[in-house]
Amino acid sequence: MPATRPLVHALEGRHVALTPLTEHDFPALRAAIGRREVFAGGFAGGPSALPADDAAFETFARGSYTPAADAIPFAVRLRGGPDDGTIVGASKLGDLDLPNEAAHIGWTGFDPRVWGTVVNPEVKLLMLRLAFDHGFGRVKLQADAVNARSRAAIAKLGATFEGVHRRAMRRPDGTWRDTAVYAILADEWPAVRAGLEGRLAAWGDRPVVLGERD
């Protein structure tokens, strides 16, 4: 079927809920991702892009997570347990190209306290399902080429590495970023989905608790 833009609505998983991100979420989002360790690996331009205060974070968040015709940003909230409803990150389904049935899942950042948990796999499962259920044939994921942690997480999803886009964009500190590009195609989605569902099954029903690691 041809690609269509998804309607904006919450996506409910077992351990996380993705809710349409609004400016009211910015303070909680800063508490989750406005941390040196999040930006250190290359997120959003690397260490020099870390917002210094609330006003700077708001500017960053508006630039990264404002809804648009080709972009649907989500806040990531925990479900269940003592931290139920807490925002632990954000991601965006963006660069929606309906004629070419292409989309991009990116702008993804998580509170370090949920790194290594089931949060990222379930977020990607929900967002990939949204894209492929709406007729997209290719979903791109990418990271700064020096961001080893993010690249490993993308590869673990089952995405195919397509190469490095050299000198792709300027970082805030004036240096140039090389971008490692990965993608999942519609005919690869069933295998990727099965892998993600397997990771969720291995985690079980226990909730994600901030600070705990698998």
Side-chain angles (χ1 to χ4, degrees), residues 92-145:
K92 184 168 74 176
L93 183 64
D95 296 339
L96 301 178
D97 181 348
L98 301 185
N100 290 308
E101 300 177 352
H104 174 192
I105 292 176
W107 302 269
T108 305
F110 295 120
D111 188 319
R113 293 175 294 174
V114 302
W115 292 355
T117 71
V118 76
V119 167
N120 185 54
E122 187 161 51
V123 167
K124 295 304 193 296
L125 177 64
L126 293 170
M127 295 182 71
L128 286 165
R129 180 184 294 151
L130 181 67
F132 289 118
D133 283 354
H134 283 80
F136 288 91
R138 180 177 188 271
V139 178
K140 177 178 70 173
L141 303 100
Q142 63 185 33
D144 191 317

Side-chain angles (χ1 to χ4, degrees), residues 9-117:
H9 61 89
L11 306 177
E12 298 283 345
R14 184 186 306 173
H15 304 288
V16 300
L18 307 186
T19 58
L21 198 154
T22 73
E23 63 183 23
H24 301 294
D25 297 321
F26 291 169
L29 184 61
R30 187 186 181 207
I33 69 171
R35 302 165 179 258
R36 292 187 182 278
E37 56 266 51
V38 174
F39 286 76
F43 171 72
S48 62
L50 176 65
D53 54 30
D54 288 344
F57 187 86
E58 181 174 338
T59 298
F60 157 75
R62 288 186 185 278
S64 300
Y65 301 115
T66 296
D70 67 345
I72 304 172
F74 293 100
V76 179
R77 301 174 184 271
L78 294 181
R79 292 194 70 196
D83 301 303
D84 183 63
T86 300
I87 290 178
V88 294
S91 192
K92 184 168 74 176
L93 183 64
D95 296 339
L96 301 178
D97 181 348
L98 301 185
N100 290 308
E101 300 177 352
H104 174 192
I105 292 176
W107 302 269
T108 305
F110 295 120
D111 188 319
R113 293 175 294 174
V114 302
W115 292 355
T117 71

Side-chain angles (χ1 to χ4, degrees), residues 172-193:
D173 64 2
T175 61
W176 287 95
R177 161 178 156 158
D178 295 340
T179 297
V181 180
Y182 301 75
I184 299 168
L185 305 185
D187 59 358
E188 299 166 343
W189 167 230
V192 171
R193 180 179 60 215

